[in-house]
Amino acid sequence: MKLIKIDTGNFMVDGGALFGVIPKAMWQSKYPVDNDNYCNLSMRCLLVDTGDRKILIDTGAGAKQSDKFFSWHRLNGNDSLLKSLSNNGYHPDDISDVILTHLHWDHCGGCVYYDDDNMPQVTFKNATHWVSASQWANYEQPNSREGVVYFPENMRPVYDAGLLQLVDNNEEILPGIEVRLLNGHTQGNLLPIVHTPYGAIAFMGDLIPVAPSVRTPWVAAYDTQPLISIEEKRLFLQEALEKDITLFFEHDLYTECCSLVQTDKGIAINDVFTLNEFIREQP
Ligand SMILES: [Zn+2]
């Protein structure tokens, strides 16, 4: 099994929104912030190559939304989904499965692109696209908070092509890959846990977007049900500590992975390391 990080570019968010009710005096020393109060976030996806299957977890922002929309989010960086795949020796047609944690624009935008005639095309036309049934329902009929972060053009063409596979339960959807359904950040947010020869690694998505958010009360203002987020995070961290599950961060520009330790103040980060170090350091 090969594990490869796929950098798809960065975007910026307001630090107050990222850290929710936590005062800036507490978080500003933990994550870099600029004079406009923006924090830079990666959109770091994960490719799991089992030999038989090439499984991509999340696809970044893509390029379909308006320049105005992207300018609010200050897209930056030199990486893109297709460039990163190509640099690692993969063609979009090689991808057999795409697991989408959820359908907010910065997680699924890469699933569809506009061709030279401005027609929508599915990027991974040989791939089964895994989404939770409750997230799909939320995407189709968004609530008043999330309507602005879902775009029909990001996933409708996938559905129309018959490539959507809905998940209803916590289950092993592919050999070695289980998903958990969460509801704090958004309804039916998937937490993928990959069981590898190097140990288990969990794809944090927006459950714990950046390393400082390991602290259980540090929940983003974006979360639709913050009390549920706190409880889901608490339960996951306890399990990750007990089972020695490594955390892989999608959005932390500066930290790829971490391990956990129990302290007097609760569960905290033990070591931080890159995905390549995770692979190398294991037997
Ligand atoms: Zn999200």
Side-chain angles (χ1 to χ4, degrees), residues 2 5 15 25 39 46 76 78-79 92 110 118 129 159-160 162 166 173 190-191 200 206 218 224 239 274:
K2 285 195 231 169
K5 70 171 172 130
C39 295
L46 180 64
N76 66 94
N78 297 318
D79 295 307
N118 219 27
H129 293 60
Y159 174 87
D160 292 341
L166 298 180
I173 56 170
L190 291 182
L191 168 65
D206 284 342
W218 290 37
T224 55
E239 182 185 356
T274 65

mmCIF file of all heavy atoms in Angstrom, residues 2 5 15 25 39 46 76 78-79 92 110 118 129 159-160 162 166 173 190-191 200 206 218 224 239 274:
data_model
loop_
_atom_site.group_PDB
_atom_site.id
_atom_site.type_symbol
_atom_site.label_atom_id
_atom_site.label_comp_id
_atom_site.label_asym_id
_atom_site.label_seq_id
_atom_site.Cartn_x
_atom_site.Cartn_y
_atom_site.Cartn_z
ATOM 1 N N LYS A 2 0.526 2.182 -0.878
ATOM 2 C CA LYS A 2 1.236 3.468 -0.884
ATOM 3 C C LYS A 2 0.302 4.554 -0.379
ATOM 4 O O LYS A 2 -0.886 4.559 -0.713
ATOM 5 C CB LYS A 2 1.664 3.825 -2.318
ATOM 6 C CG LYS A 2 2.847 3.040 -2.832
ATOM 7 C CD LYS A 2 3.385 3.730 -4.072
ATOM 8 C CE LYS A 2 3.514 2.726 -5.195
ATOM 9 N NZ LYS A 2 3.771 3.334 -6.490
ATOM 10 N N LYS A 5 0.458 12.180 -0.228
ATOM 11 C CA LYS A 5 -0.321 13.407 -0.035
ATOM 12 C C LYS A 5 -0.459 14.113 -1.377
ATOM 13 O O LYS A 5 0.478 14.124 -2.185
ATOM 14 C CB LYS A 5 0.329 14.320 1.005
ATOM 15 C CG LYS A 5 1.612 14.949 0.557
ATOM 16 C CD LYS A 5 2.078 16.012 1.540
ATOM 17 C CE LYS A 5 3.481 16.459 1.136
ATOM 18 N NZ LYS A 5 3.665 17.885 1.039
ATOM 19 N N GLY A 15 -9.423 34.066 10.979
ATOM 20 C CA GLY A 15 -8.981 33.292 12.144
ATOM 21 C C GLY A 15 -10.069 33.158 13.198
ATOM 22 O O GLY A 15 -10.173 32.132 13.877
ATOM 23 N N ALA A 25 -6.364 36.026 21.646
ATOM 24 C CA ALA A 25 -5.212 36.031 22.563
ATOM 25 C C ALA A 25 -4.734 34.612 22.852
ATOM 26 O O ALA A 25 -3.560 34.396 23.140
ATOM 27 C CB ALA A 25 -5.594 36.729 23.866
ATOM 28 N N CYS A 39 -5.965 33.361 8.224
ATOM 29 C CA CYS A 39 -5.076 32.209 8.397
ATOM 30 C C CYS A 39 -5.046 31.433 7.076
ATOM 31 O O CYS A 39 -6.087 31.260 6.431
ATOM 32 C CB CYS A 39 -5.597 31.283 9.491
ATOM 33 S SG CYS A 39 -5.615 32.016 11.140
ATOM 34 N N LEU A 46 -5.508 12.999 0.258
ATOM 35 C CA LEU A 46 -4.712 11.787 0.501
ATOM 36 C C LEU A 46 -5.055 10.745 -0.553
ATOM 37 O O LEU A 46 -6.234 10.451 -0.789
ATOM 38 C CB LEU A 46 -5.033 11.240 1.904
ATOM 39 C CG LEU A 46 -4.281 9.979 2.333
ATOM 40 C CD1 LEU A 46 -2.786 10.233 2.432
ATOM 41 C CD2 LEU A 46 -4.811 9.477 3.692
ATOM 42 N N ASN A 76 -4.339 30.491 -3.030
ATOM 43 C CA ASN A 76 -2.905 30.741 -3.210
ATOM 44 C C ASN A 76 -2.152 29.420 -3.253
ATOM 45 O O ASN A 76 -2.720 28.361 -2.977
ATOM 46 C CB ASN A 76 -2.390 31.667 -2.098
ATOM 47 C CG ASN A 76 -2.452 31.030 -0.720
ATOM 48 O OD1 ASN A 76 -1.479 30.446 -0.253
ATOM 49 N ND2 ASN A 76 -3.620 31.094 -0.059
ATOM 50 N N ASN A 78 1.076 27.023 -5.385
ATOM 51 C CA ASN A 78 1.363 26.597 -6.759
ATOM 52 C C ASN A 78 0.838 25.212 -7.096
ATOM 53 O O ASN A 78 0.996 24.750 -8.220
ATOM 54 C CB ASN A 78 2.879 26.618 -6.998
ATOM 55 C CG ASN A 78 3.436 28.023 -6.878
ATOM 56 O OD1 ASN A 78 2.820 28.975 -7.372
ATOM 57 N ND2 ASN A 78 4.564 28.164 -6.206
ATOM 58 N N ASP A 79 0.215 24.543 -6.119
ATOM 59 C CA ASP A 79 -0.221 23.173 -6.369
ATOM 60 C C ASP A 79 -1.654 23.145 -6.888
ATOM 61 O O ASP A 79 -2.456 24.010 -6.580
ATOM 62 C CB ASP A 79 -0.161 22.364 -5.065
ATOM 63 C CG ASP A 79 1.255 22.220 -4.552
ATOM 64 O OD1 ASP A 79 2.108 21.778 -5.343
ATOM 65 O OD2 ASP A 79 1.512 22.573 -3.389
ATOM 66 N N PRO A 92 -5.901 11.010 -13.955
ATOM 67 C CA PRO A 92 -7.251 10.956 -13.360
ATOM 68 C C PRO A 92 -7.999 9.652 -13.649
ATOM 69 O O PRO A 92 -8.751 9.160 -12.803
ATOM 70 C CB PRO A 92 -7.964 12.154 -13.998
ATOM 71 C CG PRO A 92 -6.865 13.115 -14.321
ATOM 72 C CD PRO A 92 -5.658 12.274 -14.658
ATOM 73 N N GLY A 110 -12.861 19.674 -6.898
ATOM 74 C CA GLY A 110 -12.024 19.061 -7.934
ATOM 75 C C GLY A 110 -12.700 17.916 -8.675
ATOM 76 O O GLY A 110 -12.141 17.401 -9.649
ATOM 77 N N ASN A 118 -16.699 25.070 -22.028
ATOM 78 C CA ASN A 118 -17.388 25.471 -20.798
ATOM 79 C C ASN A 118 -18.467 24.481 -20.369
ATOM 80 O O ASN A 118 -19.441 24.850 -19.722
ATOM 81 C CB ASN A 118 -17.993 26.872 -20.949
ATOM 82 C CG ASN A 118 -17.839 27.679 -19.668
ATOM 83 O OD1 ASN A 118 -16.907 27.434 -18.891
ATOM 84 N ND2 ASN A 118 -18.749 28.612 -19.435
ATOM 85 N N HIS A 129 -17.710 7.529 -6.453
ATOM 86 C CA HIS A 129 -17.588 8.678 -5.551
ATOM 87 C C HIS A 129 -18.440 8.413 -4.303
ATOM 88 O O HIS A 129 -19.662 8.336 -4.400
ATOM 89 C CB HIS A 129 -18.057 9.961 -6.238
ATOM 90 C CG HIS A 129 -17.195 10.409 -7.389
ATOM 91 N ND1 HIS A 129 -16.979 9.636 -8.518
ATOM 92 C CD2 HIS A 129 -16.480 11.551 -7.575
ATOM 93 C CE1 HIS A 129 -16.164 10.291 -9.344
ATOM 94 N NE2 HIS A 129 -15.855 11.438 -8.814
ATOM 95 N N TYR A 159 -23.333 12.833 -10.075
ATOM 96 C CA TYR A 159 -24.609 12.113 -9.903
ATOM 97 C C TYR A 159 -25.186 11.727 -11.263
ATOM 98 O O TYR A 159 -25.589 10.570 -11.487
ATOM 99 C CB TYR A 159 -25.590 13.001 -9.127
ATOM 100 C CG TYR A 159 -26.982 12.431 -9.012
ATOM 101 C CD1 TYR A 159 -27.306 11.567 -7.963
ATOM 102 C CD2 TYR A 159 -27.971 12.757 -9.941
ATOM 103 C CE1 TYR A 159 -28.580 11.033 -7.852
ATOM 104 C CE2 TYR A 159 -29.247 12.228 -9.834
ATOM 105 C CZ TYR A 159 -29.541 11.365 -8.791
ATOM 106 O OH TYR A 159 -30.802 10.841 -8.696
ATOM 107 N N ASP A 160 -25.205 12.690 -12.179
ATOM 108 C CA ASP A 160 -25.786 12.445 -13.509
ATOM 109 C C ASP A 160 -25.038 11.346 -14.260
ATOM 110 O O ASP A 160 -25.621 10.646 -15.094
ATOM 111 C CB ASP A 160 -25.794 13.738 -14.345
ATOM 112 C CG ASP A 160 -26.767 14.768 -13.774
ATOM 113 O OD1 ASP A 160 -27.665 14.377 -13.001
ATOM 114 O OD2 ASP A 160 -26.614 15.963 -14.094
ATOM 115 N N GLY A 162 -23.902 8.741 -12.911
ATOM 116 C CA GLY A 162 -24.121 7.462 -12.221
ATOM 117 C C GLY A 162 -22.930 7.013 -11.401
ATOM 118 O O GLY A 162 -22.766 5.825 -11.130
ATOM 119 N N LEU A 166 -23.796 6.189 -2.223
ATOM 120 C CA LEU A 166 -24.134 6.750 -0.911
ATOM 121 C C LEU A 166 -23.841 5.748 0.200
ATOM 122 O O LEU A 166 -24.046 4.542 0.037
ATOM 123 C CB LEU A 166 -25.606 7.162 -0.879
ATOM 124 C CG LEU A 166 -25.989 8.263 -1.881
ATOM 125 C CD1 LEU A 166 -27.472 8.607 -1.772
ATOM 126 C CD2 LEU A 166 -25.140 9.520 -1.695
ATOM 127 N N ILE A 173 -15.864 0.553 3.833
ATOM 128 C CA ILE A 173 -16.426 0.694 2.480
ATOM 129 C C ILE A 173 -15.509 0.094 1.421
ATOM 130 O O ILE A 173 -15.961 -0.285 0.351
ATOM 131 C CB ILE A 173 -16.756 2.167 2.136
ATOM 132 C CG1 ILE A 173 -15.531 3.070 2.288
ATOM 133 C CG2 ILE A 173 -17.922 2.668 2.989
ATOM 134 C CD1 ILE A 173 -15.738 4.474 1.737
ATOM 135 N N LEU A 190 -18.102 12.482 6.720
ATOM 136 C CA LEU A 190 -17.402 11.202 6.831
ATOM 137 C C LEU A 190 -16.003 11.403 7.415
ATOM 138 O O LEU A 190 -15.286 12.318 7.016
ATOM 139 C CB LEU A 190 -17.257 10.529 5.461
ATOM 140 C CG LEU A 190 -18.523 9.988 4.790
ATOM 141 C CD1 LEU A 190 -18.154 9.317 3.466
ATOM 142 C CD2 LEU A 190 -19.253 9.007 5.694
ATOM 143 N N LEU A 191 -15.655 10.525 8.339
ATOM 144 C CA LEU A 191 -14.288 10.479 8.872
ATOM 145 C C LEU A 191 -13.659 9.185 8.365
ATOM 146 O O LEU A 191 -13.992 8.108 8.860
ATOM 147 C CB LEU A 191 -14.330 10.502 10.404
ATOM 148 C CG LEU A 191 -13.012 10.180 11.129
ATOM 149 C CD1 LEU A 191 -11.956 11.237 10.847
ATOM 150 C CD2 LEU A 191 -13.239 10.065 12.632
ATOM 151 N N ALA A 200 -2.705 2.741 11.662
ATOM 152 C CA ALA A 200 -3.933 3.387 11.185
ATOM 153 C C ALA A 200 -3.735 4.899 11.120
ATOM 154 O O ALA A 200 -3.039 5.486 11.957
ATOM 155 C CB ALA A 200 -5.085 3.049 12.113
ATOM 156 N N ASP A 206 -12.703 18.315 8.321
ATOM 157 C CA ASP A 206 -13.076 19.452 9.158
ATOM 158 C C ASP A 206 -13.427 19.044 10.591
ATOM 159 O O ASP A 206 -13.886 19.878 11.359
ATOM 160 C CB ASP A 206 -14.250 20.209 8.524
ATOM 161 C CG ASP A 206 -13.791 21.054 7.339
ATOM 162 O OD1 ASP A 206 -12.575 21.308 7.233
ATOM 163 O OD2 ASP A 206 -14.643 21.464 6.534
ATOM 164 N N TRP A 218 -12.023 23.816 20.975
ATOM 165 C CA TRP A 218 -11.620 24.679 19.865
ATOM 166 C C TRP A 218 -12.338 24.229 18.591
ATOM 167 O O TRP A 218 -11.790 23.507 17.756
ATOM 168 C CB TRP A 218 -10.109 24.655 19.675
ATOM 169 C CG TRP A 218 -9.344 25.331 20.777
ATOM 170 C CD1 TRP A 218 -9.635 25.318 22.108
ATOM 171 C CD2 TRP A 218 -8.163 26.129 20.650
ATOM 172 N NE1 TRP A 218 -8.718 26.049 22.813
ATOM 173 C CE2 TRP A 218 -7.800 26.558 21.949
ATOM 174 C CE3 TRP A 218 -7.369 26.520 19.562
ATOM 175 C CZ2 TRP A 218 -6.685 27.358 22.186
ATOM 176 C CZ3 TRP A 218 -6.251 27.310 19.798
ATOM 177 C CH2 TRP A 218 -5.915 27.728 21.095
ATOM 178 N N THR A 224 -21.992 23.412 12.208
ATOM 179 C CA THR A 224 -23.429 23.690 12.348
ATOM 180 C C THR A 224 -23.941 23.273 13.723
ATOM 181 O O THR A 224 -24.925 23.829 14.199
ATOM 182 C CB THR A 224 -24.229 22.962 11.250
ATOM 183 O OG1 THR A 224 -23.920 21.569 11.302
ATOM 184 C CG2 THR A 224 -23.878 23.509 9.880
ATOM 185 N N GLU A 239 -10.394 7.338 21.267
ATOM 186 C CA GLU A 239 -10.152 6.121 20.484
ATOM 187 C C GLU A 239 -8.789 6.173 19.790
ATOM 188 O O GLU A 239 -8.053 5.178 19.774
ATOM 189 C CB GLU A 239 -11.267 5.947 19.426
ATOM 190 C CG GLU A 239 -11.076 4.675 18.615
ATOM 191 C CD GLU A 239 -12.085 4.541 17.485
ATOM 192 O OE1 GLU A 239 -12.996 5.389 17.363
ATOM 193 O OE2 GLU A 239 -11.932 3.570 16.707
ATOM 194 N N THR A 274 5.716 14.432 9.079
ATOM 195 C CA THR A 274 5.137 14.419 7.740
ATOM 196 C C THR A 274 4.583 13.030 7.435
ATOM 197 O O THR A 274 4.898 12.047 8.127
ATOM 198 C CB THR A 274 6.184 14.767 6.672
ATOM 199 O OG1 THR A 274 7.169 13.719 6.672
ATOM 200 C CG2 THR A 274 6.853 16.110 6.952
#
